[in-house]
Amino acid sequence: MSLQEALHWRSATKSYNGNVIEKDKIEQVLNAIRLAPSSSGLQPFKVFVITNKDLREKLQPISCQQQQIVQASHILVFAAWDEYTQERVDSFFEFSNKERNLPSAATDDYRLNLLDMLSKKTKADHFLNSSQQTYIALGFGLLAAADLKIDATPIEGFDNDAVDELLNLPEQGLKSSVMMALGYKDEDSDWWGKLKKVRRSNEELFVELH
């Protein structure tokens, strides 16, 4: 499919048939998420890839009982940094400079300016920013899945605190932000996919300033 065809093909799947995604395809989706852009390139999140049946059965009640949680092949939980610590920022720039064969001081001005800016923000501001980065990665994952004809569902309807506790996220300095189900739809019961895709017109959505 072309990009435009993939965008028209995809929908938020409401019912999955339980079939498992091929290993090479799930790896391609995860790699698209890994390659997604993020602010300053920090990638301030982790993605928990859940296939464990018992864990998903515990996840479902705290996710508004959504059936996709237990029906889909994979559930991805995007968990953002709870704050931008100096250690986390320094560690990224050390890693980045090493990968690019740059001297450690090459990015000092940028890194120090970033740390100064972050020091003026609250911890809540930090999490808001890091969680916003997860949505960029989510979008890349959704598009990669559509390109591979893998059905997907972005999921926000869950108890964040309960999910955090279930996955021991506070101990890791993380907080859940959004989920994604991946798999293959049940053609008979996925009623949403049978409906016409509805979006606002270009004229209503876009404001052109010349």
Side-chain angles (χ1 to χ4, degrees):
M1 290 189 293
S2 70
L3 173 60
Q4 293 299 317
E5 288 171 335
L7 290 171
H8 282 281
W9 175 84
R10 68 151 302 278
S11 64
T13 301
K14 303 301 182 185
S15 182
Y16 289 87
N17 62 16
N19 291 346
V20 177
I21 299 169
E22 298 85 341
K23 186 174 184 291
D24 66 310
K25 289 186 176 180
I26 193 66
E27 288 177 351
Q28 290 181 64
V29 174
L30 297 180
N31 198 44
I33 291 170
R34 187 180 70 87
L35 293 173
S38 62
S39 182
S40 296
L42 292 173
Q43 292 180 294
F45 56 85
K46 287 185 180 293
V47 182
F48 290 76
V49 183
I50 304 175
T51 55
N52 181 275
K53 181 177 182 290
D54 292 338
L55 182 55
R56 288 161 63 175
E57 287 178 350
K58 293 176 182 176
L59 190 61
Q60 187 184 22
I62 56 178
S63 303
C64 301
Q65 294 291 352
Q66 295 180 76
Q67 60 183 358
Q68 299 99 317
I69 299 295
V70 292
Q71 289 178 342
S73 172
H74 292 68
I75 299 295
L76 308 188
V77 178
F78 292 77
W81 289 358
D82 58 358
E83 67 176 321
Y84 289 96
T85 64
Q86 180 170 345
E87 180 181 3
R88 281 171 159 170
V89 173
D90 287 349
S91 177
F92 167 76
F93 280 96
E94 180 182 349
F95 165 72
S96 177
N97 288 338
K98 183 177 180 181
E99 287 292 304
R100 291 170 170 167
N101 294 313
L102 295 174
S104 58
T107 52
D108 275 357
D109 287 345
Y110 186 95
R111 177 180 59 84
L112 293 172
N113 284 334
L114 177 60
L115 286 169
D116 180 62
M117 179 189 69
L118 291 170
S119 71
K120 297 178 173 64
K121 304 288 186 180
T122 66
K123 188 174 180 178
D125 291 331
H126 286 194
F127 174 67
L128 175 61
N129 179 271
S130 62
S131 64
Q132 289 170 335
Q133 311 310 306
T134 67
Y135 280 80
I136 301 172
L138 170 74
F140 271 60
L142 290 170
L143 184 54
D147 183 57
L148 294 163
K149 280 212 165 182
I150 295 170
D151 296 294
T153 315
I155 299 173
E156 291 184 304
F158 59 92
D159 183 332
N160 294 74
D161 291 337
V163 170
D164 294 354
E165 182 178 355
L166 178 64
L167 299 179
N168 299 312
L169 299 185
E171 292 86 346
Q172 303 172 65
L174 300 169
K175 297 173 69 175
S176 58
S177 58
V178 68
M179 297 185 195
M180 177 164 62
L182 291 163
Y184 297 105
K185 70 174 61 176
D186 184 318
E187 296 289 351
D188 292 331
S189 58
D190 183 51
W191 56 271
W192 186 261
K194 296 179 173 66
L195 299 178
K196 178 183 178 181
K197 185 184 289 290
V198 177
R199 295 293 187 271
R200 297 184 187 277
S201 68
N202 285 357
E203 292 74 19
E204 186 175 2
L205 185 61
F206 300 111
V207 179
E208 296 191 18
L209 305 176
H210 297 288

